[in-house]
Amino acid sequence: KAGVTQTPRYLIKTRGQQVTLSCSPISGHRSVSWYQQTPGQGLQFLFEYFSETQRNKGNFPGRFSGRQFSNSRSEMNVSTLELGDSALYLCASSSRGGHYEQYFGPGTRLTVT
Amino acid sequence: AQSVTQPDIHITVSEGASLELRCNYSYGATPYLFWYVQSPGQGLQLLLKYFSGDTLVQGIKGFEAEFKRSQSSFNLRKPSVHWSDAAEYFCAVGAKDFGNEKLTFGTGTRLTIIP
């Protein structure tokens, strides 16, 4: 089976812009979770989608949003970018989601200037 | 709420030496437990998982981990490390937190291998 894919792999944006990141899960997986990874804060959970419904949400401002499509592909959007949003954004898919094992994509490296 | 502690930020070992990475968790019951590895600029790869049963779990790349309930620990071990094992290692706990099921990750341990 193909693994989790994320596009784009690298992105440079300017403060105030918005960005959309995409994630395609492993075939058959219905859960997609998003994480932000930075050197200072480590891995922080953003949200989880399961069968097109947001099932869980972390402590991030409303500028961070996501959605999941009927084919389980997911997108994450960040509006009004701030310098502190520079990070590696990781997507993970799971057959059961929640507290079960997750399989990660390679990530999207976002740099905000 | 559950929490995970990886007390060692950075560990250096010689190639061929044995390795043990520590992980302690806090949770009211037995959680699901995982170890992941991350190479620079890459995503996380699942090394092994523990749900129940035998407390010694075998994973990929020659790694194993032992669940010790009395110590709330899930330490990762490898008998003989290879230069390719240099990476960052994350312990994770899967549990219910106020009804929400979630994975909580530790802060990671960076492993350096010296020749």
Side-chain angles (χ1 to χ4, degrees), chain B residues 48-77:
Chain B
L48 46 78
K49 61 188 178 189
Y50 173 78
F51 286 175
S52 64
D54 192 346
T55 56
L56 186 61
V57 180
Q58 301 298 320
I60 62 172
K61 304 186 180 190
F63 286 94
E64 66 178 27
E66 186 172 12
F67 168 60
K68 291 187 177 180
R69 186 191 310 273
S70 61
Q71 298 176 21
S72 297
S73 70
F74 189 57
N75 294 349
L76 182 71
R77 301 194 295 244

mmCIF file of all heavy atoms in Angstrom, chain B residues 48-77:
data_model
loop_
_atom_site.group_PDB
_atom_site.id
_atom_site.type_symbol
_atom_site.label_atom_id
_atom_site.label_comp_id
_atom_site.label_asym_id
_atom_site.label_seq_id
_atom_site.Cartn_x
_atom_site.Cartn_y
_atom_site.Cartn_z
ATOM 1 N N LEU B 48 7.157 0.373 17.021
ATOM 2 C CA LEU B 48 6.453 -0.705 17.694
ATOM 3 C C LEU B 48 5.316 -0.129 18.509
ATOM 4 O O LEU B 48 5.225 1.088 18.724
ATOM 5 C CB LEU B 48 7.400 -1.519 18.584
ATOM 6 C CG LEU B 48 8.368 -0.769 19.500
ATOM 7 C CD1 LEU B 48 7.694 -0.237 20.730
ATOM 8 C CD2 LEU B 48 9.536 -1.678 19.915
ATOM 9 N N LYS B 49 4.425 -1.046 18.965
ATOM 10 C CA LYS B 49 3.262 -0.615 19.737
ATOM 11 C C LYS B 49 2.933 -1.675 20.777
ATOM 12 O O LYS B 49 3.249 -2.859 20.610
ATOM 13 C CB LYS B 49 2.065 -0.405 18.809
ATOM 14 C CG LYS B 49 1.633 -1.671 18.067
ATOM 15 C CD LYS B 49 0.592 -1.381 17.018
ATOM 16 C CE LYS B 49 0.220 -2.659 16.259
ATOM 17 N NZ LYS B 49 -0.645 -2.406 15.088
ATOM 18 N N TYR B 50 2.311 -1.219 21.859
ATOM 19 C CA TYR B 50 1.831 -2.118 22.902
ATOM 20 C C TYR B 50 0.382 -1.773 23.198
ATOM 21 O O TYR B 50 0.046 -0.629 23.522
ATOM 22 C CB TYR B 50 2.670 -1.976 24.177
ATOM 23 C CG TYR B 50 2.098 -2.768 25.329
ATOM 24 C CD1 TYR B 50 2.295 -4.143 25.406
ATOM 25 C CD2 TYR B 50 1.331 -2.154 26.320
ATOM 26 C CE1 TYR B 50 1.747 -4.882 26.437
ATOM 27 C CE2 TYR B 50 0.787 -2.884 27.353
ATOM 28 C CZ TYR B 50 0.994 -4.255 27.414
ATOM 29 O OH TYR B 50 0.449 -4.975 28.435
ATOM 30 N N PHE B 51 -0.464 -2.803 23.114
ATOM 31 C CA PHE B 51 -1.861 -2.621 23.494
ATOM 32 C C PHE B 51 -2.179 -3.423 24.749
ATOM 33 O O PHE B 51 -2.804 -2.932 25.679
ATOM 34 C CB PHE B 51 -2.789 -3.051 22.353
ATOM 35 C CG PHE B 51 -2.835 -2.082 21.194
ATOM 36 C CD1 PHE B 51 -3.542 -2.386 20.036
ATOM 37 C CD2 PHE B 51 -2.185 -0.859 21.234
ATOM 38 C CE1 PHE B 51 -3.588 -1.504 18.966
ATOM 39 C CE2 PHE B 51 -2.217 0.036 20.167
ATOM 40 C CZ PHE B 51 -2.934 -0.298 19.025
ATOM 41 N N SER B 52 -1.769 -4.684 24.751
ATOM 42 C CA SER B 52 -2.013 -5.555 25.893
ATOM 43 C C SER B 52 -1.204 -6.830 25.673
ATOM 44 O O SER B 52 -0.556 -7.008 24.651
ATOM 45 C CB SER B 52 -3.498 -5.886 26.035
ATOM 46 O OG SER B 52 -3.943 -6.629 24.918
ATOM 47 N N GLY B 53 -1.232 -7.732 26.682
ATOM 48 C CA GLY B 53 -0.577 -9.019 26.520
ATOM 49 C C GLY B 53 0.877 -8.994 26.926
ATOM 50 O O GLY B 53 1.264 -8.324 27.893
ATOM 51 N N ASP B 54 1.694 -9.707 26.173
ATOM 52 C CA ASP B 54 3.119 -9.821 26.461
ATOM 53 C C ASP B 54 3.747 -8.442 26.612
ATOM 54 O O ASP B 54 3.620 -7.588 25.734
ATOM 55 C CB ASP B 54 3.813 -10.595 25.334
ATOM 56 C CG ASP B 54 5.232 -11.013 25.710
ATOM 57 O OD1 ASP B 54 5.769 -10.494 26.718
ATOM 58 O OD2 ASP B 54 5.807 -11.848 25.012
ATOM 59 N N THR B 55 4.424 -8.236 27.728
ATOM 60 C CA THR B 55 4.948 -6.903 28.014
ATOM 61 C C THR B 55 6.235 -6.579 27.263
ATOM 62 O O THR B 55 6.691 -5.441 27.288
ATOM 63 C CB THR B 55 5.191 -6.737 29.527
ATOM 64 O OG1 THR B 55 6.073 -7.786 29.964
ATOM 65 C CG2 THR B 55 3.880 -6.811 30.297
ATOM 66 N N LEU B 56 6.830 -7.565 26.625
ATOM 67 C CA LEU B 56 8.001 -7.322 25.791
ATOM 68 C C LEU B 56 7.551 -7.341 24.337
ATOM 69 O O LEU B 56 7.054 -8.353 23.843
ATOM 70 C CB LEU B 56 9.069 -8.394 26.044
ATOM 71 C CG LEU B 56 10.414 -8.178 25.337
ATOM 72 C CD1 LEU B 56 11.062 -6.873 25.802
ATOM 73 C CD2 LEU B 56 11.343 -9.359 25.597
ATOM 74 N N VAL B 57 7.739 -6.220 23.682
ATOM 75 C CA VAL B 57 7.221 -6.044 22.328
ATOM 76 C C VAL B 57 8.375 -5.918 21.345
ATOM 77 O O VAL B 57 9.314 -5.157 21.589
ATOM 78 C CB VAL B 57 6.346 -4.772 22.263
ATOM 79 C CG1 VAL B 57 5.802 -4.570 20.863
ATOM 80 C CG2 VAL B 57 5.215 -4.850 23.267
ATOM 81 N N GLN B 58 8.292 -6.645 20.267
ATOM 82 C CA GLN B 58 9.305 -6.572 19.215
ATOM 83 C C GLN B 58 8.829 -5.623 18.117
ATOM 84 O O GLN B 58 7.648 -5.586 17.769
ATOM 85 C CB GLN B 58 9.561 -7.955 18.621
ATOM 86 C CG GLN B 58 10.032 -8.980 19.634
ATOM 87 C CD GLN B 58 11.353 -8.630 20.276
ATOM 88 O OE1 GLN B 58 12.272 -8.136 19.617
ATOM 89 N NE2 GLN B 58 11.473 -8.888 21.588
ATOM 90 N N GLY B 59 9.767 -4.859 17.589
ATOM 91 C CA GLY B 59 9.416 -3.927 16.534
ATOM 92 C C GLY B 59 10.296 -4.097 15.318
ATOM 93 O O GLY B 59 10.990 -5.097 15.178
ATOM 94 N N ILE B 60 10.257 -3.088 14.480
ATOM 95 C CA ILE B 60 11.070 -3.125 13.265
ATOM 96 C C ILE B 60 12.484 -2.655 13.567
ATOM 97 O O ILE B 60 12.739 -2.075 14.632
ATOM 98 C CB ILE B 60 10.452 -2.260 12.146
ATOM 99 C CG1 ILE B 60 10.381 -0.788 12.577
ATOM 100 C CG2 ILE B 60 9.070 -2.780 11.772
ATOM 101 C CD1 ILE B 60 9.967 0.159 11.466
ATOM 102 N N LYS B 61 13.397 -2.920 12.661
ATOM 103 C CA LYS B 61 14.789 -2.470 12.737
ATOM 104 C C LYS B 61 15.509 -3.005 13.967
ATOM 105 O O LYS B 61 16.476 -2.412 14.428
ATOM 106 C CB LYS B 61 14.875 -0.934 12.729
ATOM 107 C CG LYS B 61 14.213 -0.287 11.535
ATOM 108 C CD LYS B 61 14.465 1.212 11.518
ATOM 109 C CE LYS B 61 13.799 1.834 10.304
ATOM 110 N NZ LYS B 61 14.194 3.239 10.088
ATOM 111 N N GLY B 62 15.062 -4.130 14.517
ATOM 112 C CA GLY B 62 15.746 -4.737 15.646
ATOM 113 C C GLY B 62 15.451 -4.118 17.004
ATOM 114 O O GLY B 62 16.113 -4.426 17.997
ATOM 115 N N PHE B 63 14.493 -3.236 17.072
ATOM 116 C CA PHE B 63 14.121 -2.600 18.345
ATOM 117 C C PHE B 63 13.108 -3.440 19.118
ATOM 118 O O PHE B 63 12.312 -4.168 18.540
ATOM 119 C CB PHE B 63 13.529 -1.207 18.098
ATOM 120 C CG PHE B 63 14.552 -0.175 17.725
ATOM 121 C CD1 PHE B 63 14.823 0.091 16.387
ATOM 122 C CD2 PHE B 63 15.232 0.530 18.707
ATOM 123 C CE1 PHE B 63 15.768 1.036 16.033
ATOM 124 C CE2 PHE B 63 16.173 1.484 18.354
ATOM 125 C CZ PHE B 63 16.443 1.738 17.020
ATOM 126 N N GLU B 64 13.158 -3.298 20.425
ATOM 127 C CA GLU B 64 12.164 -3.885 21.303
ATOM 128 C C GLU B 64 11.866 -2.905 22.431
ATOM 129 O O GLU B 64 12.637 -1.975 22.693
ATOM 130 C CB GLU B 64 12.647 -5.223 21.892
ATOM 131 C CG GLU B 64 13.821 -5.103 22.834
ATOM 132 C CD GLU B 64 14.222 -6.444 23.433
ATOM 133 O OE1 GLU B 64 13.982 -7.499 22.803
ATOM 134 O OE2 GLU B 64 14.790 -6.429 24.541
ATOM 135 N N ALA B 65 10.731 -3.097 23.080
ATOM 136 C CA ALA B 65 10.378 -2.245 24.213
ATOM 137 C C ALA B 65 9.698 -3.103 25.253
ATOM 138 O O ALA B 65 9.020 -4.081 24.941
ATOM 139 C CB ALA B 65 9.466 -1.096 23.778
ATOM 140 N N GLU B 66 9.873 -2.717 26.506
ATOM 141 C CA GLU B 66 9.259 -3.457 27.601
ATOM 142 C C GLU B 66 8.337 -2.561 28.406
ATOM 143 O O GLU B 66 8.751 -1.478 28.861
ATOM 144 C CB GLU B 66 10.324 -4.044 28.523
ATOM 145 C CG GLU B 66 9.740 -4.942 29.609
ATOM 146 C CD GLU B 66 10.787 -5.677 30.410
ATOM 147 O OE1 GLU B 66 11.984 -5.331 30.289
ATOM 148 O OE2 GLU B 66 10.398 -6.596 31.161
ATOM 149 N N PHE B 67 7.106 -2.985 28.567
ATOM 150 C CA PHE B 67 6.122 -2.271 29.373
ATOM 151 C C PHE B 67 6.253 -2.746 30.817
ATOM 152 O O PHE B 67 6.172 -3.934 31.102
ATOM 153 C CB PHE B 67 4.711 -2.538 28.847
ATOM 154 C CG PHE B 67 3.616 -2.083 29.765
ATOM 155 C CD1 PHE B 67 3.508 -0.751 30.132
ATOM 156 C CD2 PHE B 67 2.668 -2.978 30.258
ATOM 157 C CE1 PHE B 67 2.489 -0.311 30.966
ATOM 158 C CE2 PHE B 67 1.651 -2.555 31.090
ATOM 159 C CZ PHE B 67 1.566 -1.214 31.453
ATOM 160 N N LYS B 68 6.444 -1.791 31.723
ATOM 161 C CA LYS B 68 6.508 -2.110 33.150
ATOM 162 C C LYS B 68 5.437 -1.277 33.844
ATOM 163 O O LYS B 68 5.607 -0.069 34.086
ATOM 164 C CB LYS B 68 7.898 -1.806 33.709
ATOM 165 C CG LYS B 68 8.972 -2.742 33.187
ATOM 166 C CD LYS B 68 10.309 -2.515 33.886
ATOM 167 C CE LYS B 68 11.354 -3.518 33.390
ATOM 168 N NZ LYS B 68 12.675 -3.324 34.041
ATOM 169 N N ARG B 69 4.357 -1.943 34.210
ATOM 170 C CA ARG B 69 3.226 -1.246 34.814
ATOM 171 C C ARG B 69 3.618 -0.596 36.134
ATOM 172 O O ARG B 69 3.235 0.529 36.416
ATOM 173 C CB ARG B 69 2.078 -2.234 35.051
ATOM 174 C CG ARG B 69 0.785 -1.607 35.547
ATOM 175 C CD ARG B 69 -0.181 -2.685 36.010
ATOM 176 N NE ARG B 69 -0.325 -3.715 34.996
ATOM 177 C CZ ARG B 69 -1.197 -3.653 34.013
ATOM 178 N NH1 ARG B 69 -2.002 -2.626 33.897
ATOM 179 N NH2 ARG B 69 -1.284 -4.647 33.138
ATOM 180 N N SER B 70 4.403 -1.312 36.937
ATOM 181 C CA SER B 70 4.761 -0.811 38.272
ATOM 182 C C SER B 70 5.589 0.469 38.198
ATOM 183 O O SER B 70 5.591 1.276 39.125
ATOM 184 C CB SER B 70 5.533 -1.882 39.039
ATOM 185 O OG SER B 70 6.733 -2.203 38.357
ATOM 186 N N GLN B 71 6.298 0.645 37.097
ATOM 187 C CA GLN B 71 7.148 1.830 36.934
ATOM 188 C C GLN B 71 6.550 2.825 35.940
ATOM 189 O O GLN B 71 7.160 3.863 35.681
ATOM 190 C CB GLN B 71 8.541 1.399 36.461
ATOM 191 C CG GLN B 71 9.273 0.506 37.454
ATOM 192 C CD GLN B 71 10.613 0.024 36.928
ATOM 193 O OE1 GLN B 71 11.198 0.613 36.019
ATOM 194 N NE2 GLN B 71 11.117 -1.068 37.495
ATOM 195 N N SER B 72 5.386 2.519 35.403
ATOM 196 C CA SER B 72 4.763 3.370 34.371
ATOM 197 C C SER B 72 5.784 3.711 33.282
ATOM 198 O O SER B 72 5.953 4.873 32.890
ATOM 199 C CB SER B 72 4.205 4.655 34.990
ATOM 200 O OG SER B 72 3.183 4.362 35.908
ATOM 201 N N SER B 73 6.472 2.683 32.826
ATOM 202 C CA SER B 73 7.534 2.920 31.843
ATOM 203 C C SER B 73 7.361 2.044 30.617
ATOM 204 O O SER B 73 6.723 0.990 30.661
ATOM 205 C CB SER B 73 8.909 2.679 32.470
ATOM 206 O OG SER B 73 9.108 1.306 32.732
ATOM 207 N N PHE B 74 7.947 2.494 29.555
ATOM 208 C CA PHE B 74 7.918 1.768 28.277
ATOM 209 C C PHE B 74 9.228 2.112 27.569
ATOM 210 O O PHE B 74 9.268 2.887 26.637
ATOM 211 C CB PHE B 74 6.702 2.201 27.462
ATOM 212 C CG PHE B 74 6.456 1.359 26.225
ATOM 213 C CD1 PHE B 74 6.289 -0.014 26.302
ATOM 214 C CD2 PHE B 74 6.350 1.957 24.968
ATOM 215 C CE1 PHE B 74 6.043 -0.781 25.169
ATOM 216 C CE2 PHE B 74 6.094 1.195 23.819
ATOM 217 C CZ PHE B 74 5.942 -0.174 23.933
ATOM 218 N N ASN B 75 10.310 1.517 28.030
ATOM 219 C CA ASN B 75 11.640 1.848 27.517
ATOM 220 C C ASN B 75 11.961 1.100 26.237
ATOM 221 O O ASN B 75 11.636 -0.083 26.087
ATOM 222 C CB ASN B 75 12.700 1.552 28.571
ATOM 223 C CG ASN B 75 12.583 2.459 29.787
ATOM 224 O OD1 ASN B 75 11.833 3.440 29.767
ATOM 225 N ND2 ASN B 75 13.307 2.121 30.831
ATOM 226 N N LEU B 76 12.625 1.788 25.353
ATOM 227 C CA LEU B 76 13.004 1.227 24.052
ATOM 228 C C LEU B 76 14.447 0.727 24.121
ATOM 229 O O LEU B 76 15.316 1.428 24.661
ATOM 230 C CB LEU B 76 12.884 2.304 22.972
ATOM 231 C CG LEU B 76 13.197 1.895 21.536
ATOM 232 C CD1 LEU B 76 12.105 0.986 20.991
ATOM 233 C CD2 LEU B 76 13.345 3.135 20.650
ATOM 234 N N ARG B 77 14.697 -0.452 23.547
ATOM 235 C CA ARG B 77 16.048 -1.016 23.607
ATOM 236 C C ARG B 77 16.471 -1.559 22.252
ATOM 237 O O ARG B 77 15.639 -1.940 21.417
ATOM 238 C CB ARG B 77 16.108 -2.155 24.634
ATOM 239 C CG ARG B 77 15.725 -1.743 26.039
ATOM 240 C CD ARG B 77 16.125 -2.789 27.047
ATOM 241 N NE ARG B 77 15.386 -4.041 26.851
ATOM 242 C CZ ARG B 77 14.545 -4.535 27.750
ATOM 243 N NH1 ARG B 77 14.295 -3.871 28.854
ATOM 244 N NH2 ARG B 77 13.954 -5.689 27.542
#
